[in-house]
């Protein structure tokens, strides 16, 4: 039985609690949580809704009476409602199960069995179940694992035949929205074709979970995904972007992330080699991702400056031709969460160009790697690492076999 506790009452079974609220449970058996969160019970963050799975009688199109597992939602205002299934026959009975619920309980995600007996990720908002599809026609099944607080972004796993001869199936994390549909998040570098998302931030822009490595004592490895950077090792991000010293910790799974994306929790192995839960507080961060080191930009061309940030509202973007000593503003008070800005490269020559992105309150800044700006002109590099334009009247057209007369460079 599932137990429910509400102050100042003592613990009681969920069935007793629902019946006290006037819910008719005739013909339904309430089931507690079991493996893989298949028959599960959840409560919305605001406490108004209870979500679960129950065995419920149903009638097939041929008039046969049967039972199946089905998602239910209960609230004081709406009473008890049932999700139904993606199919409604005896062979593939369309049973469904929840995996996560939005903050207000209005959106439930999980999976259901279709009429062809294939499991498909689903989203339920009150009418019939909405199938979320698959990453390709070759998919074997899909299931949802988490949903954003407002219910607009769903993450889960798509199962397909593996291209790795050592694996039978590939399990790829996906992210689903109404506008874009289902998009694969890929795999962690060096991992097997196995990635599982377990939580998503408030706006759905950050996904955390775990990947499976091919060998080693700790094969599971926590990942973090963003649209700008793709899937990365969480350990690497904490060390490279935030300067954290993990001091022997191995982060196996990232199981939850706060709505603002600044706190991540999970499980792993501590420096003593013991399994232990962990909590990472990210705070604010800022890093410039493009231009990249030694990248060559053409004057007059359109270029996308890219950065990553967290905990910032507005940023200023600057351009420098002298390694960041002096800077010219490109844009100010620009939304930090845009993570990119379309820039028209100025008509200039420089070998030591830099882009600086700075918090508009001047509390945090990040500088790009050194890059070049040069058009289709003859030029060579001076000893001070600046460009010198070729002038026929000044330099003549004599090209001797000397380093001082190499044009262009």
């Amino acid at each position: 039985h599932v137990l429910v506790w509400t102050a100042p009452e003592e613990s009681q079974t969920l069935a007793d609690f629902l019946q006290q609220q006037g819910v008719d449970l005739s013909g339904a058996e309430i089931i507690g949580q079991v493996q893989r969160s298949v028959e599960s019970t959840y409560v919305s963050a605001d406490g108004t809704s209870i979500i679960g799975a129950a065995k419920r009688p149903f009638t097939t199109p041929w008039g046969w009476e049967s039972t199946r597992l089905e998602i239910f939602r209960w609230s004081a205002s709406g009473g008890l409602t049932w999700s139904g299934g993606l199919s409604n026959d005896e062979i593939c009975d369309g049973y469904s199960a929840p995996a996560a619920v939005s903050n207000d309980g209005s959106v439930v995600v999980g999976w259901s069995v279709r009429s062809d007996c294939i499991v498909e990720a689903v989203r339920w908002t009150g009418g019939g179940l909405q199938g979320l599809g698959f990453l390709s026609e070759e998919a074997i099944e899909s299931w949802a694992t988490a949903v954003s607080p407002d219910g607009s972004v769903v993450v889960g796993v798509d199962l397909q035949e593996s291209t790795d001869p050592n694996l039978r199936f590939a399990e790829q994390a996906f992210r689903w929205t109404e506008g874009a549909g289902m998009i694969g998040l890929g795999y962690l570098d060096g991992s097997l074709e196995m990635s599982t998302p377990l939580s998503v931030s408030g706006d759905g822009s950050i996904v955390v979970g775990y990947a499976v490595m091919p060998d080693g004592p700790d094969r599971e490895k926590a990942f973090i995904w963003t649209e700008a950077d793709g899937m990365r090792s969480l350990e690497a991000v904490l060390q490279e972007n935030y300067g954290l010293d993990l001091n022997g910790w191995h982060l196996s799974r990232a199981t939850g992330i706060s709505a603002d994306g600044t706190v991540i929790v999970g499980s792993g192995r501590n420096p003593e080699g013991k399994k232990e839960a962990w909590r990472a507080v990210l705070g604010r961060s800022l890093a410039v991702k493009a231009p990249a080191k030694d990248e060559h930009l053409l004057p007059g061309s359109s270029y996308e400056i890219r950065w990553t940030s967290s905990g910032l509202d507005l940023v200023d973007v600057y351009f420098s031709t002298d390694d960041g000593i002096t800077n010219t503003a490109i844009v100010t008070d620009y939304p930090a969460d845009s993570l990119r800005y379309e820039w028209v490269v100025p008509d200039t020559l420089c070998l030591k160009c830099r882009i600086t992105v700075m918090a508009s309150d001047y509390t945090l800044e990040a500088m790009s790697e050194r890059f070049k700006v040069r058009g289709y002109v003859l030029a060579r590099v001076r000893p001070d690492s600046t460009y010198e334009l070729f002038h026929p009247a000044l330099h003549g057209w004599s090209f001797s076999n000397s380093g001082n007369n190499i044009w262009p460079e």
Side-chain angles (χ1 to χ4, degrees):
H1 287 291
V2 177
L3 298 181
V4 176
W5 182 90
T6 55
E9 303 294 334
E10 296 296 326
S11 296
Q12 56 185 317
T13 67
L14 178 59
D16 289 344
F17 172 77
L18 293 177
Q19 288 171 345
Q20 287 178 9
Q21 305 302 314
V23 178
D24 181 9
L25 295 179
S26 58
E29 176 188 354
I30 303 300
I31 301 174
Q33 183 166 339
V34 298
Q35 288 184 347
R36 292 185 63 185
S37 299
V38 175
E39 295 95 0
S40 307
T41 303
Y42 302 86
V43 63
S44 60
D46 62 6
T48 61
S49 301
I50 295 173
I51 312 298
K55 287 182 179 178
R56 186 187 184 211
F58 80 103
T59 303
T60 70
W62 301 278
W64 302 336
E65 296 296 326
S66 184
T67 61
R68 67 179 175 191
L69 194 69
E70 196 171 315
I71 301 171
F72 72 82
R73 178 195 292 113
W74 176 89
S75 67
S77 59
L80 185 65
T81 55
W82 299 90
S83 68
L86 290 180
S87 66
N88 197 38
D89 58 54
E90 181 71 17
I91 300 174
C92 304
D93 60 13
Y95 63 86
S96 56
V101 58
S102 63
N103 276 1
D104 64 359
S106 64
V107 179
V108 181
V109 300
W111 51 271
S112 181
V113 178
R114 309 189 322 175
S115 58
D116 55 5
C117 297
I118 292 177
V119 173
E120 182 177 354
V122 295
R123 181 174 180 262
W124 182 44
T125 57
L129 289 175
Q130 176 187 7
L132 303 186
F134 307 91
L135 291 178
S136 74
E137 294 180 355
E138 290 73 34
I140 298 171
E141 61 183 54
S142 65
W143 60 90
T145 57
V147 65
S148 61
D150 66 358
S152 64
V153 179
V154 183
V155 295
V157 176
D158 177 86
L159 184 72
Q160 303 201 23
E161 293 285 348
S162 176
T163 59
D164 185 340
N166 298 315
L167 284 178
R168 182 179 179 185
F169 300 115
E171 298 181 9
Q172 182 178 177
F174 72 75
R175 179 179 181 270
W176 179 95
T177 61
E178 192 75 57
M182 185 181 291
I183 297 174
L185 304 187
Y187 305 102
L188 196 60
D189 285 347
S191 75
L192 298 174
E193 293 178 336
M194 300 180 74
S195 56
T196 301
L198 297 177
S199 188
V200 60
S201 63
D203 61 1
S205 64
I206 307 174
V207 180
V208 297
Y210 71 96
V212 179
M213 309 307 290
D215 49 37
D218 297 292
R219 296 184 63 192
E220 291 183 350
K221 193 169 188 177
F223 74 72
I224 181 170
W225 178 92
T226 63
E227 185 178 358
D229 295 324
M231 188 176 293
R232 297 180 62 194
S233 160
L234 180 58
E235 291 180 10
V237 170
L238 294 178
Q239 293 176 101
E240 297 170 10
N241 290 23
Y242 296 92
L244 296 182
D245 182 5
L246 297 183
N247 194 28
W249 271 88
H250 173 77
L251 309 184
S252 302
R253 295 189 178 196
T255 57
I257 184 169
S258 61
D260 63 3
T262 62
V263 179
I264 302 174
V265 297
S267 60
R269 195 174 297 276
N270 65 24
E272 288 74 41
K274 298 179 179 179
K275 292 184 178 180
E276 187 175 343
W278 52 264
R279 176 175 178 265
V281 181
L282 306 185
R284 305 194 311 163
S285 71
L286 184 61
V288 181
K289 295 300 181 181
K293 183 178 181 179
D294 295 328
E295 193 168 353
H296 179 194
L297 308 187
L298 291 173
S301 64
S302 180
Y303 184 83
E304 188 177 78
I305 300 170
R306 292 187 290 109
W307 63 89
T308 60
S309 70
S310 66
L312 300 178
D313 294 324
L314 301 173
V315 293
D316 304 334
V317 183
Y318 298 91
F319 171 61
S320 172
T321 61
D322 56 8
D323 228 9
I325 298 173
T326 60
N327 293 276
T328 301
I330 296 174
V331 64
T332 59
D333 295 331
Y334 191 74
D337 58 6
S338 297
L339 305 180
R340 62 198 65 208
Y341 181 79
E342 200 71 25
W343 175 50
V344 177
V345 180
D347 187 8
T348 187
L349 278 172
C350 65
L351 271 171
K352 299 179 179 180
C353 302
R354 300 270 193 173
I355 290 292
T356 297
V357 180
M358 178 185 297
S360 294
D361 60 4
Y362 309 112
T363 58
L364 190 65
E365 68 176 65
M367 185 180 291
S368 73
E369 295 281 1
R370 186 184 291 176
F371 63 97
K372 307 171 187 178
V373 173
R374 185 170 77 88
Y376 297 110
V377 295
L378 282 175
R380 66 180 174 185
V381 180
R382 297 188 180 101
D384 63 355
S385 296
T386 59
Y387 278 123
E388 179 184 13
L389 275 175
F390 177 80
H391 295 286
L394 178 62
H395 299 108
W397 290 98
S398 174
F399 292 85
S400 63
N401 189 21
S402 166
N404 293 328
N405 285 306
I406 296 176
W407 302 91
E409 188 172 21

